[in-house]
């Protein structure tokens, strides 16, 4: 067992898709794809807690849809979002699309992803192909679509094209929300991706920068949010935070500040 930064390497494997490493540092277990940045992290004594700030920000979508019944997660990683959803929404059905079989195996073996949970369905494949199949060949619809499709080289190219966001919009319910993790420091790619999301969602995309990180979460809705909803949300946000512990009051504040013109138009603040 060798030392990896300030932690201990407990698993290492190589496949055609690349290197996977699992590192323990005290109470925190992390997934790496051959680089030092963490792809996922888990508290060993609280596996369902969202340890990384960008995953907490992704769940800012609960501000807009607080009671999801069916969720699509594209990109499993260590399964942080999946475990959070299954813990807090035990009646919710969660479909996952993950390209790498070895990632699924590691998520089960080292990150306590309960693949035998009847509400969890893991599909091996490409997220773009999956949403297009759902849109054109099925009647599936989702309350939330969470996209975190990264490897050691960056975001998977297929989940950044216009047709992907068109299909995401098409398979969301009327109160559905897309939450996608983007890398804000790659300015040209970020801007073009946001343009595509806005095109697919009729200019209803908002940004939620992750504090002290390069990540920016984009939230896009199928609906306009009325002023009465926002007032109700402000009254409830602290209660929601007590349940979920994902910094929702801060996310709401950041959403309003970062998207002032958009929020003004939708919420009539």
């Amino acid at each position: 067992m060798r030392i990896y930064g300030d932690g201990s390497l407990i698993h290492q494997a190589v496949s055609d898709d690349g290197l996977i490493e699992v590192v323990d540092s005290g109470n925190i277990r992390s997934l790496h794809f051959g680089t030092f940045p963490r792809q996922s992290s888990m508290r060993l004594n609280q596996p369902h807690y969202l340890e990384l700030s960008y995953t907490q920000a992704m769940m800012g979508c609960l501000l807009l849809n607080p009671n999801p019944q069916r969720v699509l997660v594209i990109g499993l990683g260590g399964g942080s979002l999946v475990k959070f959803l299954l813990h807090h929404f035990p009646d919710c059905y969660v479909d996952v699309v993950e390209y790498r079989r070895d990632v699924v195996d590691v998520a089960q073996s080292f990150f306590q992803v309960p693949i035998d949970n009847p509400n969890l369905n893991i599909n091996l494949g490409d997220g773009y192909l999956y949403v297009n199949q759902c849109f054109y060949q099925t009647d599936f619809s989702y309350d939330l679509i969470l996209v975190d499709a990264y490897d050691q080289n960056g975001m998977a190219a297929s989940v950044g094209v216009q047709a992907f966001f068109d299909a995401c919009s098409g398979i969301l319910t009327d109160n559905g929300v897309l939450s996608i993790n983007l890398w804000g420091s790659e300015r040209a790619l970020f801007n073009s991706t946001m343009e595509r999301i806005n095109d697919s969602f009729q200019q209803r995309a908002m940004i939620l920068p992750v504090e002290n990180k390069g990540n920016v979460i984009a939230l896009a809705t199928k609906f306009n949010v009325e002023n009465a909803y926002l007032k109700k949300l402000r009254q409830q946000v602290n209660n929601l935070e007590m349940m979920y512990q994902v910094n929702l009051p801060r996310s709401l504040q950041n959403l309003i500040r970062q998207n002032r013109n958009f929020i003004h138009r939708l919420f009539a603040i």
Side-chain angles (χ1 to χ4, degrees), residues 24 38 71 77 89 104 109 116 127 144 146 157 165 178 188 193-194 206 215 230 251:
D24 278 0
R38 295 178 289 176
V71 178
F89 304 95
V104 176
S109 299
D116 57 346
L144 302 175
L146 310 177
F165 296 118
L178 169 72
T193 302
M194 287 300 302
M206 296 176 284
N215 307 75
L230 181 63
S251 290

Side-chain angles (χ1 to χ4, degrees), residues 97-171:
V97 184
E98 170 55 53
Y99 184 76
R100 297 176 59 169
R101 161 60 71 181
D102 53 354
V103 168
V104 176
D105 293 339
V106 165
Q108 178 188 12
S109 299
F110 293 95
F111 290 89
Q112 301 184 36
V113 172
I115 65 170
D116 57 346
N117 187 308
N119 286 9
L120 175 63
N121 178 39
I122 298 179
N123 304 273
L124 282 175
D126 180 83
Y128 168 79
L129 295 177
Y130 181 89
V131 297
N132 272 271
Q133 182 181 27
C134 287
F135 180 57
Y136 288 109
Q137 301 180 23
T138 76
D139 294 326
F140 281 1
S141 60
Y142 293 97
D143 299 305
L144 302 175
I145 299 177
L146 310 177
V147 183
D148 184 25
Y150 280 81
D151 59 21
Q152 68 274 17
N153 299 314
M155 187 174 74
S158 65
V159 300
V161 299
Q162 192 70 63
F164 172 76
F165 296 118
D166 287 347
C168 285
S169 177
I171 64 175

Side-chain angles (χ1 to χ4, degrees), residues 1-12:
M1 188 178 296
R2 73 180 179 86
I3 301 300
Y4 191 106
D6 62 349
S8 297
L9 182 70
I10 65 167
H11 175 77
Q12 184 181 67

Side-chain angles (χ1 to χ4, degrees), residues 7-24:
S8 297
L9 182 70
I10 65 167
H11 175 77
Q12 184 181 67
V14 180
S15 71
D16 292 341
D17 295 308
L19 179 65
I20 286 184
E21 294 175 314
V22 179
V23 176
D24 278 0

